[in-house]
Amino acid sequence: MMMVMQPEGLGAGEGPFAGGGGGEYMEQEEDWDRDLLLDPAWEKQQRKTFTAWCNSHLRKAGTQIENIEEDFRNGLKLMLLLEVISGERLSRPDKGKMRFHKIANVNKALDFIASKGVRLVSIGAEEIVDGNLKMTLGMIWTIILRFAIQDISVEETSAKEGLLLWCQRKTAPYRNVNVQNFHTSWKDGLALCALIHRHRPDLIDYAKLRKDDPIGNLNTAFEVAEKYLDIPKMLDAEDIVNTPKPDEKAIMTYVSCFYHAFAGAEQAETAANRICKVLAVNQENERLMQEYEKLASELLEWIRRTIPWLENRVGEHSMSAMQRKLEDFRDYRRLHKPPRVQEKCQLEINFNTLQTKLRLSRRPAFMPSEGKLVSDIANAWRGLEQAEKGYEDWLLSEIRRLQRLQHLAEKFQQKASLHEAWTRGRTLPGA
């Protein structure tokens, strides 16, 4: 006899036929064990929910089931279901219609589930082939656990606890919502509406919902989810409201569909954000490249225009003319050169920043246009400073020369005046 499966990592008592354990969830699991009997209300809810869940996947293969305990008996649609939800191919099914063919196909399905790390616990393929409803529901619940719930991970919690934590985090800001479990916390429909509103506020006006209208709230959530989120209706509002404790497995199955719908959208959004971030980084890099080229061109052009002025020695060389040149040179150093010094510093900063960004992005290093390397700019700047020094030295030398000439001229004029005075004094007596 093949055994029914319990997904690894769910813990003792969390498989559909696991024994032992404690707490509310464990008590529900024990209800499965007692002579394999289910509460009639739970059985009704599970039949509807599990059938809808299976069909939500089987429709991708162009088929569906009508009667969950009948339509899986030959194992063909069961194998197809596993292929759709896993994305893998199972071994070829037996095409015969004899009982042993059906058992072989169901066993292939159970073997595939076991290959996914699920422990098998107490059911054989014969019960599925015989149309045992409770065993079939148990098998489908195990498949749901393994393929729809077990891999849910939120922070450091996973499976059922991870799904519960996700629901709590998403619905925390909403009034009248306090998700503590997967049965009574969902009876008034507000938790489902809050989940939808949190991710798609355009679909539900949460402020208009009333806690005293559970049927209306549940039907609103079911209709919106089916119409806009591609989540089929898996529950009946009346069954949930009129059952003291709705079936946990049915609620978990339905809620897990919201997790996958919204988590997938969040992952897509995250991927889109990553792409946008990469594009933004590339655009910023391109901007820095263009800015470098522009700054480099402007700075080199300014140096090219300034050096001839600093090397110019032609023109009037009077003291007043040289003083004007000296004042112009001081204005150049005080007013015109400092902004260019800042541009040169910014150019070097941009170049280094750009190279770092490109290295972190694993892109090739930036190579400026010919003649605009940082070293080219440094060489041009050194040429400018040499021209400045030569010009300043020439100005000061010329001014000192002119001052000496002026001083000599003044001395000559003084002596000439004295001589003229002396000459006039000598000639006066004999006149």
Side-chain angles (χ1 to χ4, degrees):
M1 173 183 289
M2 186 74 70
M3 313 289 286
V4 150
M5 297 69 72
Q6 175 178 325
E8 291 182 354
L10 290 173
E14 292 192 18
F17 293 89
E24 199 168 56
Y25 190 61
M26 301 308 136
E27 291 172 4
Q28 180 182 341
E29 295 298 351
E30 290 171 2
D31 286 338
W32 282 81
D33 290 337
R34 277 199 307 271
D35 300 324
L36 300 178
L37 294 176
L38 275 176
D39 180 289
W42 287 356
E43 181 179 302
K44 179 182 177 182
Q45 291 170 21
Q46 286 182 18
R47 178 196 285 267
K48 178 177 179 64
T49 301
F50 293 178
T51 298
W53 184 86
C54 291
N55 283 335
S56 71
H57 294 285
L58 285 172
R59 69 183 180 186
K60 299 171 187 176
T63 188
Q64 64 178 12
I65 60 171
E66 299 292 339
N67 189 316
I68 196 167
E69 71 268 28
E70 289 294 328
D71 293 348
F72 285 135
R73 289 181 62 181
N74 63 8
L76 297 178
K77 288 188 177 180
L78 178 59
M79 294 178 71
L80 181 60
L81 173 66
L82 290 171
E83 288 187 342
V84 171
I85 62 178
S86 69
E88 301 179 28
R89 296 287 296 178
L90 276 68
S91 58
R92 293 176 62 85
D94 289 12
K95 296 298 185 180
K97 297 183 179 180
M98 303 294 289
R99 176 179 171 83
F100 74 88
H101 292 126
K102 299 176 182 180
I103 292 175
N105 288 335
V106 173
N107 273 326
K108 288 176 182 178
L110 298 181
D111 288 340
F112 177 78
I113 299 171
S115 72
K116 297 302 176 182
V118 179
R119 295 194 302 272
L120 305 177
V121 187
S122 82
I123 190 176
E126 292 83 357
E127 285 85 355
I128 306 301
V129 173
D130 290 338
N132 186 309
L133 174 61
K134 296 169 182 62
M135 291 297 180
T136 302
L137 291 176
M139 177 190 64
I140 297 302
W141 169 240
T142 299
I143 293 173
I144 294 171
L145 275 177
R146 172 60 185 84
F147 292 99
I149 297 176
Q150 182 178 328
D151 291 337
I152 291 174
S153 179
V154 178
E155 293 184 2
E156 296 182 357
T157 60
S158 59
K160 174 189 173 184
E161 288 73 19
L163 181 59
L164 184 63
L165 178 60
W166 179 78
C167 293
Q168 291 170 338
R169 293 286 173 83
K170 296 298 182 180
T171 61
Y174 291 84
R175 60 179 176 82
N176 297 325
V177 177
N178 183 21
V179 177
Q180 297 297 322
N181 51 52
F182 284 109
H183 37 80
T184 54
S185 294
W186 304 84
K187 287 191 66 174
D188 59 16
L190 290 177
L192 282 174
C193 290
L195 273 183
I196 296 173
H197 185 269
R198 179 62 180 271
H199 297 89
R200 290 289 305 275
D202 57 308
L203 299 181
I204 289 181
D205 187 350
Y206 189 84
K208 292 184 178 179
L209 301 178
R210 304 196 323 271
K211 188 174 181 61
D212 61 357
D213 183 22
I215 297 290
N217 297 337
L218 287 166
N219 282 328
T220 295
F222 296 157
E223 291 166 8
V224 168
E226 187 166 34
K227 184 175 181 180
Y228 297 102
L229 305 177
D230 199 29
I231 298 175
K233 183 179 179 182
M234 299 183 181
L235 302 164
D236 282 321
E238 292 77 7
D239 290 343
I240 295 176
V241 172
N242 296 329
T243 304
K245 180 181 175 183
D247 180 61
E248 185 176 48
K249 295 177 175 63
I251 298 291
M252 282 180 66
T253 299
Y254 187 57
V255 172
S256 71
C257 294
F258 287 87
Y259 172 85
H260 290 295
F262 293 133
E266 289 172 353
Q267 290 170 1
E269 182 178 356
T270 300
N273 289 339
R274 283 198 297 267
I275 293 172
C276 290
K277 185 176 180 180
V278 170
L279 290 175
V281 169
N282 290 339
Q283 289 174 351
E284 175 65 10
N285 291 340
E286 290 295 331
R287 186 190 68 79
L288 287 174
M289 292 178 190
Q290 293 174 4
E291 184 175 338
Y292 177 90
E293 292 280 340
K294 180 174 179 291
L295 283 175
S297 296
E298 292 176 352
L299 185 57
L300 288 169
E301 176 62 20
W302 178 80
I303 293 172
R304 185 188 65 78
R305 293 195 315 268
T306 303
I307 288 179
W309 173 70
L310 294 170
E311 292 177 341
N312 183 18
R313 306 290 189 266
V314 179
E316 185 182 354
H317 287 187
S318 66
M319 179 58 74
S320 60
M322 298 307 293
Q323 288 290 353
R324 285 196 302 271
K325 289 180 181 292
L326 182 60
E327 287 299 320
D328 290 343
F329 181 69
R330 287 171 177 169
D331 286 344
Y332 156 79
R333 281 201 164 163
R334 181 171 57 89
L335 301 175
H336 301 291
K337 185 180 179 183
R340 303 300 178 176
V341 173
Q342 293 180 359
E343 287 180 6
K344 179 176 178 292
C345 292
Q346 188 62 49
L347 198 64
E348 293 171 353
I349 291 171
N350 285 7
F351 182 82
N352 293 330
T353 299
L354 177 58
Q355 299 296 41
T356 300
K357 286 178 173 290
L358 291 172
R359 185 171 63 254
L360 293 176
S361 302
R362 298 183 178 179
R363 293 188 60 190
F366 169 58
M367 181 60 65
S369 303
E370 185 177 357
K372 297 179 184 177
L373 295 171
V374 172
S375 58
D376 295 327
I377 295 169
N379 290 334
W381 193 264
R382 280 193 297 270
L384 174 73
E385 292 182 330
Q386 288 170 1
E388 285 179 6
K389 187 176 186 308
Y391 189 62
E392 183 179 32
D393 290 344
W394 174 73
L395 282 174
L396 295 177
S397 175
E398 280 296 296
I399 290 173
R400 284 195 295 268
R401 185 180 68 81
L402 291 172
Q403 285 173 340
R404 285 194 300 271
L405 290 175
Q406 185 177 358
H407 178 67
L408 291 173
E410 289 173 352
K411 286 178 67 176
F412 176 80
Q413 186 63 38
Q414 184 180 16
K415 289 181 178 181
S417 297
L418 289 173
H419 182 72
E420 288 177 358
W422 177 79
T423 303
R424 285 193 300 268
R426 291 282 299 224
T427 58
L428 285 177

